[in-house]
Amino acid sequence: MQEDENRAEKMKVTVKVFATLRRFMEKESQVTIESGTTAGELLLMLTKEHPGLNNELFDETGVLREYVNILKNGRNIHFLNKLETIIEENDLIAIFPPSGGG
Amino acid sequence: MLTPEEKEQFIRQTPILGEDGQEKLKNAAVLVAGAGGLGTAIALHCAFAGFGTVRIADCDRIERSNLNRQTLYRLPDIGRMKADMAVERIQGVTPYLCTEAVNTVITVENVLQMTAGMDIIIDAMDNYDTRYILADAAEERGIPFIHGAIDGFYGQVATTIPGQSACLRCIVPHPPPRTKVPALSATTGIIGSIQVTEAIKCILGMGTLLTDKLLLWDGLHCEMDTIEVTPLKECPHCGECRKMKTEQKK
Ligand SMILES: [Zn+2]
């Protein structure tokens, strides 16, 4: 068991959240993930740890709210592989709902 | 040329903008798209900075519930057209200020006419449908578009320069739901002021612009961050596809 855990390569990424998401977690945190983790899996990890995030990120049916910006090193995952986007070591993941009012 | 009176008026800002910079502003025309919380702050600061022409577009009338943040209006103005009133309130800031009120809704059909003669567009809209229309017009005209938006204590600003930086769709590909968001004049004042600062820098070619970046303001924690936004090669509006299209046209 322990050997298996050791074998899965661990890596650190930085997650930054803004605006309303700050109600549920710190602005910046280091998250340890296994190699091959997708953006979707990372979001699930975060919502497990901070349940309040769930409603901010996902609708009632569990689908990601399209307007929530999720940037991997400045590139919106919408233009990458969406929730299937692979997160890599030292990535900076920024998550925030855009403001819309004037 | 600046008159001696104008030189005197701007004596406190010529050390940073220069007399030639002040003249550039005098010759510059700005479209303030929207005359709500952001738009009233933006229009006022554009007039005071010394922009020569300020065109203000808004199709709404002033309501009582606007008066917590739309700082150019007063109680007796309720029922008046916002653009008309905003223009009236900024007149007389400089002797040369030319103001224009446009009381119509901004559409794909009229946006090119509405932006004619403008050197810059400042976004003070309350919805992304119109923001995209304006951003496309800025791209077509090859002029900067200064995006701004607020939501309660939060706000954001980004500057887009056609053909050079990430476009609005790269930055916000999917708009948030169109709802009446909470709004505070202290927030619209901050965001509008940053937008006008960007506009001045664009006209004068000074400093570092908020291009390929999104500035995020969080008044609740009193924190400001800028995050990098990479222009997308795949983006049909600012990326490879557009470059190809332009090359094909040649
Ligand atoms: Zn783009």
Side-chain angles (χ1 to χ4, degrees), chain A residues 16 18-23 27 66-69 71 73-76 78-80 94 96-102, chain B residues 37-38 125-126 128 131 149-150 154 156 171 173-177 181 214 216 221 223 225 227-230 232 234:
Chain A
K16 282 182 111 173
F18 299 96
T20 46
L21 307 186
R22 289 284 303 277
R23 287 200 297 244
K27 182 164 98 175
E66 228 176 11
Y67 61 84
V68 176
N69 273 338
L71 284 84
N73 305 325
R75 305 198 78 191
N76 200 309
H78 169 80
F79 297 107
L80 300 171
F96 60 96
S99 293
Chain B
L38 284 176
M125 296 312 305
D126 59 359
Y128 277 89
R131 283 187 174 104
I150 57 99
Y154 312 115
Q156 63 187 43
I171 299 165
H174 292 286
V181 302
L214 180 66
L216 295 167
H221 296 89
E223 286 172 352
D225 275 84
I227 56 171
E228 303 284 329
V229 181
T230 314
L232 300 161
E234 306 84 348

Side-chain angles (χ1 to χ4, degrees), chain B residues 7-26:
Chain B
K7 283 182 189 171
E8 187 189 347
Q9 179 164 354
F10 293 116
I11 203 158
R12 295 291 292 275
Q13 63 189 51
T14 34
I16 50 168
L17 305 184
E19 268 186 31
D20 55 331
Q22 199 61 58
E23 254 184 73
K24 279 185 193 164
L25 285 182
K26 186 180 175 180

Side-chain angles (χ1 to χ4, degrees), chain B residues 105-240:
Chain B
V105 64
I106 299 167
T107 63
V108 178
E109 288 73 31
N110 68 17
V111 72
L112 282 180
Q113 194 193 339
M114 204 175 289
T115 53
M118 295 292 111
D119 297 302
I120 195 159
I121 300 173
I122 308 186
D123 166 19
M125 296 312 305
D126 59 359
N127 70 86
Y128 277 89
D129 295 335
T130 320
R131 283 187 174 104
Y132 293 138
I133 292 173
L134 286 160
D136 290 348
E139 194 186 298
E140 184 150 349
R141 292 200 169 279
I143 59 176
F145 175 77
I146 321 277
H147 162 63
I150 57 99
D151 190 336
F153 282 110
Y154 312 115
Q156 63 187 43
V157 184
T159 296
T160 69
I161 309 282
Q164 290 181 33
S165 66
C167 75
L168 183 62
R169 283 181 182 81
C170 278
I171 299 165
V172 183
H174 292 286
R178 199 170 166 166
T179 53
K180 281 204 160 131
V181 302
L184 187 68
S185 79
T187 306
T188 49
I190 289 167
I191 297 302
S193 296
I194 296 172
Q195 289 179 274
V196 175
T197 308
E198 286 293 287
I200 294 169
K201 284 153 52 188
C202 278
I203 300 295
L204 271 58
M206 293 175 77
T208 308
L209 294 171
L210 273 172
T211 45
D212 296 333
K213 289 184 191 78
L214 180 66
L215 177 146
L216 295 167
W217 163 247
D218 179 343
L220 209 50
H221 296 89
C222 209
E223 286 172 352
M224 202 180 274
D225 275 84
T226 47
I227 56 171
E228 303 284 329
V229 181
T230 314
L232 300 161
K233 282 196 177 124
E234 306 84 348
C235 173
H237 295 272
C238 70
E240 288 299 321

Side-chain angles (χ1 to χ4, degrees), chain B residues 48-163:
Chain B
F48 274 94
F51 273 88
T53 301
V54 178
R55 183 180 293 166
I56 304 174
D58 200 300
C59 61
D60 286 335
R61 289 179 187 276
I62 299 162
E63 295 172 24
R64 179 121 198 176
S65 63
N66 301 148
L67 297 183
N68 74 317
R69 67 192 185 283
Q70 302 185 8
T71 51
L72 290 179
Y73 315 132
R74 302 294 175 262
L75 287 168
D77 305 332
I78 291 170
R80 299 274 311 271
M81 293 305 292
K82 288 183 180 182
D84 285 341
M85 215 53 232
V87 151
E88 202 177 305
R89 288 282 146 74
I90 64 168
Q91 271 162 12
V93 170
T94 55
Y96 55 77
L97 178 62
C98 168
T99 55
E100 297 168 31
V102 183
N103 294 305
T104 48
V105 64
I106 299 167
T107 63
V108 178
E109 288 73 31
N110 68 17
V111 72
L112 282 180
Q113 194 193 339
M114 204 175 289
T115 53
M118 295 292 111
D119 297 302
I120 195 159
I121 300 173
I122 308 186
D123 166 19
M125 296 312 305
D126 59 359
N127 70 86
Y128 277 89
D129 295 335
T130 320
R131 283 187 174 104
Y132 293 138
I133 292 173
L134 286 160
D136 290 348
E139 194 186 298
E140 184 150 349
R141 292 200 169 279
I143 59 176
F145 175 77
I146 321 277
H147 162 63
I150 57 99
D151 190 336
F153 282 110
Y154 312 115
Q156 63 187 43
V157 184
T159 296
T160 69
I161 309 282

